[in-house]
Amino acid sequence: IENSLTSQRAKGIQRPVCNISKCTIMVEGPLTRGVAQYPYLLCNAVGSDSLEMVELARKLKVIPWVGLAAPLPDTISPPKQVMQGVISNQPNCKLIENSVTQCFHKSKKRISISSTPATLDNKGFAFCFLPMSSNNDTGLPVHIHGYFSLSDNRRRVRWLDLDDQSDEAKWNKCLMEHLITPAYAVLVTTSCSLMTFQFSTYSYQQLCSDAPFSLLPLLSKTREKAWKYLVERMLPLLSNLPVLWTPAGGGKWVKPSEAYCPPPNRAIPNSILDLLIQLGYPVVCFPQNIQLHCQLDVREITPQIVR
């Protein structure tokens, strides 16, 4: 990433560069009973094709640079990839999908639905080189690093509002909109492309596992304006990317617009689910907390569809 940025800046080019890799954090202490390992999928992005962002970066002497980390099963080892074009001022969902598929289609593994990894404390935190706060998580399921402009106590991302019209607040909004949003979309799409799940039976309870949906951002979980803004920007991208898992066709990821899900608070008989899946309907069963809050537009299974 650093070499790519240095080379681009020398040539006067500002095209964003995206790097996908894996790292493993090892923790040893009295509570871990030996060495505990926490594998993560990383997505770093640097550079910008936004003229406003480039100008603010020069003015504030900062770098358009972000990084995101999501938990990854230990058995999955994606190859390191550097991609250009997938991070953009105007994200192209088709380009993201095609680029990720081309890079990682040979790395997909089938894992158990119960083997979903967790972050160190099952929460996502924000970083600006150092942790912003060890007590207040972002409400997101991933860790986010950014070259942010922070409040004096380093606990909050400065945000553009009536009380703060500074260039620093404008910079944070640009960082969230032009880099973190598409990088998050690339991270989720890459994670999906690296794994699929195995089921012995298609029961409603088993299909309602959190595992396939663990990286989806939920607006209701976020508190600060900056993170709420990120989720709002993410939803249109996720609606056009294959980020929902269905056991139909042997197990695959589909776009929300292609999926069918049971109505909220109403279980569908396993025999009906099995029939729809065998007929090729991409049935997606959200856990209740996700179905009520994820705000993705998915068609409900109705009596008319069953008939």
Side-chain angles (χ1 to χ4, degrees):
I1 287 288
E2 183 179 357
N3 291 338
S4 298
L5 177 63
T6 303
S7 174
Q8 287 197 41
R9 293 180 72 177
K11 298 176 182 178
I13 304 172
Q14 298 293 338
R15 289 177 300 181
V17 179
C18 177
N19 175 273
I20 300 290
S21 60
K22 176 185 177 181
C23 82
T24 300
I25 296 176
M26 305 179 71
V27 179
E28 184 175 9
L31 300 179
T32 60
R33 296 182 179 179
V35 179
Q37 298 188 19
Y38 298 89
Y40 283 86
L41 180 68
L42 307 181
C43 177
N44 283 283
V46 67
S48 176
D49 57 0
S50 164
L51 295 179
E52 179 187 10
M53 194 169 189
V54 171
E55 183 58 34
L56 284 171
R58 290 172 178 164
K59 185 175 182 180
L60 299 174
K61 295 180 172 57
V62 292
I63 298 174
W65 173 30
V66 302
L68 293 89
L72 191 69
D74 188 45
T75 55
I76 296 178
S77 298
K80 292 182 179 180
Q81 295 285 351
V82 176
M83 296 180 284
Q84 288 188 332
V86 295
I87 304 294
S88 173
N89 181 27
Q90 296 180 334
N92 184 319
C93 291
K94 192 64 178 177
L95 178 59
I96 292 175
E97 180 183 354
N98 291 342
S99 298
V100 169
T101 301
Q102 182 178 357
C103 289
F104 300 105
H105 71 281
K106 294 182 179 179
S107 304
K108 180 174 290 188
K109 288 192 176 182
R110 187 174 294 273
I111 64 173
S112 169
I113 195 69
S114 61
S115 65
T116 302
T119 57
L120 289 173
D121 51 12
N122 295 313
K123 295 179 181 179
F125 289 89
F127 300 78
C128 182
F129 300 96
L130 295 174
M132 286 171 49
S133 172
S134 59
N135 298 319
N136 299 320
D137 62 282
T138 62
L140 298 167
V142 299
H143 298 307
I144 298 177
H145 166 270
Y147 208 130
F148 296 115
S149 177
L150 304 179
S151 60
D152 292 339
N153 62 7
R154 284 188 52 86
R155 294 181 179 272
R156 183 179 60 85
V157 173
R158 295 181 61 176
W159 198 245
L160 197 63
D161 56 26
L162 293 177
D163 297 323
D164 192 347
Q165 295 287 321
S166 64
D167 286 338
E168 287 80 4
K170 294 176 182 177
W171 165 258
N172 286 336
K173 187 175 181 180
C174 284
L175 204 63
M176 201 73 70
E177 181 175 345
H178 301 313
L179 275 185
I180 296 178
T181 296
Y184 195 162
V186 171
L187 182 75
V188 175
T189 308
T190 300
S191 178
C192 293
S193 71
L194 290 171
M195 68 185 82
T196 187
F197 300 95
Q198 55 191 17
F199 285 85
S200 55
T201 59
Y202 299 136
S203 68
Y204 178 79
Q205 291 74 18
Q206 192 178 28
L207 290 177
C208 279
S209 167
D210 288 337
F213 316 107
S214 60
L215 298 186
L216 295 181
L218 303 179
L219 187 62
S220 62
K221 296 287 186 180
T222 57
R223 292 175 294 277
E224 291 188 24
K225 292 180 180 179
W227 310 121
K228 288 184 179 294
Y229 181 79
L230 172 60
V231 177
E232 291 169 352
R233 298 286 303 184
M234 279 288 298
L235 290 174
L237 291 182
L238 294 179
S239 296
N240 292 286
L241 289 169
V243 296
L244 300 182
W245 190 84
T246 174
K252 60 183 178 180
W253 297 90
V254 296
K255 299 174 185 177
S257 59
E258 301 168 343
Y260 294 85
C261 71
N265 304 315
R266 190 187 308 169
I268 294 216
N270 292 334
S271 58
I272 300 297
L273 281 179
D274 185 63
L275 175 61
L276 291 174
I277 292 169
Q278 295 301 325
L279 290 174
Y281 281 83
V283 174
V284 171
C285 294
F286 292 106
Q288 185 175 359
N289 66 314
I290 293 179
Q291 184 165 10
L292 293 175
H293 300 293
C294 78
Q295 297 182 315
L296 292 176
D297 189 15
V298 180
R299 290 170 292 186
E300 291 186 356
I301 298 174
T302 63
Q304 290 77 13
I305 291 175
V306 175
R307 293 192 189 102

